[in-house]
Amino acid sequence: MRSTIDWRRNPVGFIALLGPPLVWFLVFFAVPMAVVLGYSFGTNSGLTEIEISGTFANYARALEPLYLGILGKSLLFSALATLICLLVGFPVALAIAFAPPNLKTWLLIGVMLPFWTNLLIRTYALIAILRDEGVINGVLSFLLGWAGFEPLRLMNTNTAVVIGLVYVHLPFMVLPLYAALDRLDRSLIEAALDLGASHLRAVMTVVVPLAGAGIASGLLLTFIPVLGSYLAPDLLGGPDSLMIANVIERQFKRANDWPFGAALAFLLMYMTFAGILMQALWKGRRPADAD
């Protein structure tokens, strides 16, 4: 006979379980974020002092054309990188979901393996591939040297930034897609094939709609960290490849303008909350739409 625990009558166990993560959340997330939020409504009153005056001047400055242009470029880079991650990650996740059980584990380890390596090391490895004397130009020079091949200029370009963003964040797309595809009722796919649908049509008309929640989660989980990425634009991009996270980093480090940096950071956070809210509303409407 199963026994249930009434947490209202025995709150000690509930508090013991909730207490440590709640304290961790408050001390290392909520309180620092509240401090940064306060800074966004402040002004510099000295070299190291910030006066929280309740001003909205930092947010007004963040909406100037210069910073809106950088934000728009960041959104464009993030959307493009997220779309490429979806186009590349969906076939990978589909292949893993339909792989034999003994091979599936190794494929998942291969997807998660980049997380075990420092991000800075991975970015420098990509530099070794993209630079003028790197792997790509070396292979092309070997194959096309007879035709007077000139090295491709890949480093310090917007293309290198997008490649770096996709390279770093692709696992964020593959894993939620795999989780959704692995739960699919495969009899529906078999029925579509039996009724004469091609494999491509079965994927587009059966698999993609059923994996909609996983696709939405993958898009959100990929887009948010891509939008906040600053290492790839800093190391792979040129002067015109700055993203909004690079501007935030420079406000805190070089310009020593913490209030403005905090306002830019929370502008990103507001956009993140809006994206999460849109996904929650879309997910909440799915059962009604299905009916």
Side-chain angles (χ1 to χ4, degrees):
M1 183 175 180
R2 296 179 59 184
S3 61
T4 58
I5 300 176
D6 190 345
W7 297 112
R8 289 172 295 182
R9 296 183 180 180
N10 185 19
V12 177
F14 178 74
I15 294 174
L17 290 175
L18 181 63
L22 182 60
V23 171
W24 179 277
F25 173 81
L26 291 174
V27 173
F28 294 104
F29 182 79
V31 173
M33 293 304 297
V35 172
V36 176
L37 178 62
Y39 284 169
S40 69
F41 296 100
T43 56
N44 285 326
S45 59
L47 292 177
T48 59
E49 296 180 359
I50 298 175
E51 179 184 354
I52 301 177
S53 57
T55 179
F56 285 88
N58 296 309
Y59 288 97
R61 182 183 170 191
L63 297 178
E64 292 179 357
L66 173 63
Y67 300 106
L68 285 179
I70 296 176
L71 180 59
K73 184 185 297 183
S74 302
L75 292 171
L76 178 62
F77 283 177
S78 302
L80 180 59
T82 302
L83 177 61
I84 295 174
C85 285
L86 176 62
L87 296 178
V88 175
F90 190 88
V92 173
L94 190 64
I96 296 175
F98 285 86
N102 57 343
L103 182 60
K104 185 180 298 185
T105 302
W106 291 104
L107 293 175
L108 287 174
I109 292 176
V111 171
M112 294 184 291
L113 193 61
F115 289 119
W116 302 350
T117 307
N118 184 272
L119 176 59
L120 185 61
I121 296 176
R122 283 186 282 157
T123 306
Y124 274 109
L126 192 58
I127 292 176
I129 297 174
L130 297 177
R131 64 184 180 179
D132 292 347
E133 303 82 13
V135 176
I136 293 179
N137 279 312
V139 172
L140 292 177
S141 178
F142 176 77
L143 296 176
L144 304 175
W146 57 270
F149 171 77
E150 292 291 334
L152 298 177
R153 185 177 179 272
L154 298 175
M155 280 295 301
N156 302 322
T157 63
N158 293 338
T159 302
V161 174
V162 174
I163 292 174
L165 293 174
V166 172
Y167 169 69
V168 170
H169 297 93
L170 184 59
F172 290 97
M173 179 67 72
V174 173
L175 294 177
L177 286 177
Y178 163 75
L181 294 171
D182 194 49
R183 296 194 301 265
L184 289 181
D185 186 356
R186 302 188 182 185
S187 63
L188 298 176
I189 304 175
E190 295 175 357
L193 295 175
D194 291 340
L195 291 173
S198 63
H199 286 82
L200 179 60
R201 187 172 182 181
V203 169
M204 297 303 298
T205 58
V206 178
V207 176
V208 172
L210 292 178
I215 293 174
S217 298
L219 291 174
L220 189 64
L221 290 175
T222 305
F223 183 83
I224 291 175
V226 169
L227 185 60
S229 177
Y230 75 94
L231 193 58
D234 190 48
L235 296 180
L236 302 175
D240 62 340
S241 301
L242 281 180
M243 292 179 64
I244 192 66
N246 301 104
V247 179
I248 295 173
E249 184 262 346
R250 294 182 181 184
Q251 298 304 315
F252 279 98
K253 288 188 176 181
R254 304 181 188 179
N256 197 32
D257 193 350
W258 287 32
F260 182 53
L264 288 173
F266 264 87
L267 193 63
L268 276 187
M269 185 160 290
Y270 300 147
M271 296 175 61
T272 300
F273 288 155
I276 295 174
L277 179 61
M278 290 175 60
Q279 188 210 22
L281 292 175
W282 178 82
K283 190 175 181 180
R285 291 178 57 186
R286 286 186 68 232
D289 294 341
D291 294 339

